[in-house]
Amino acid sequence: MADEDDLEDLLEELDTQGDLETAEQVLSLRIEKRRYDKPVTIIEGFDLPQSELKSTASALKSALGTGGTVDEGRIELQGDHRDRVPDLLRERGFEIRE
């Protein structure tokens, strides 16, 4: 019984399950034109807790030097970032369908 607890503690520490869950998610990427014909990059398909989604959005915004938000389980980034977002998300373990 103690061996099982040790194994679960080790798995939690390594966060193997979280990495597997991330790798299984297939995200979609699209561009919308908003007010004044400004482009917005929208990334959908996340199955993450709100806190992890916000931290992913924050990392993307920092890497891209842009603003954005988390809305209804998706990340919205100001501007057209189709060229850079897929690589950034793949580095974080996500699969992208473009």
Side-chain angles (χ1 to χ4, degrees):
M1 194 71 159
D3 290 335
E4 287 180 23
D5 290 337
D6 291 340
L7 179 60
E8 283 190 32
D9 291 341
L10 182 61
L11 285 175
E12 283 179 21
E13 185 176 320
L14 294 174
D15 194 28
T16 323
Q17 188 66 28
D19 291 342
L20 287 175
E21 289 172 2
T22 299
E24 292 173 354
Q25 296 180 46
V26 179
L27 306 179
S28 64
L29 179 69
R30 63 187 171 92
I31 303 296
E32 275 186 11
K33 296 282 185 166
R34 297 273 173 95
R35 183 179 294 186
Y36 307 115
D37 233 13
K38 300 280 185 177
V40 176
T41 303
I42 299 175
I43 309 154
E44 299 174 303
F46 290 99
D47 186 22
L48 296 174
Q50 188 72 7
S51 61
E52 286 184 44
L53 191 56
K54 285 184 177 184
S55 80
T56 301
S58 180
L60 288 172
K61 292 187 297 184
S62 294
L64 296 167
T66 190
T69 187
V70 174
D71 187 34
E72 297 178 10
R74 64 186 186 194
I75 296 175
E76 299 180 2
L77 301 169
Q78 297 172 356
D80 184 347
H81 300 286
R82 284 180 284 201
D83 52 340
R84 294 185 57 204
V85 167
D87 292 334
L88 293 171
L89 288 170
R90 284 186 189 107
E91 287 174 10
R92 295 182 68 89
F94 293 101
E95 185 177 331
I96 306 295
R97 179 183 33 160
E98 297 179 56

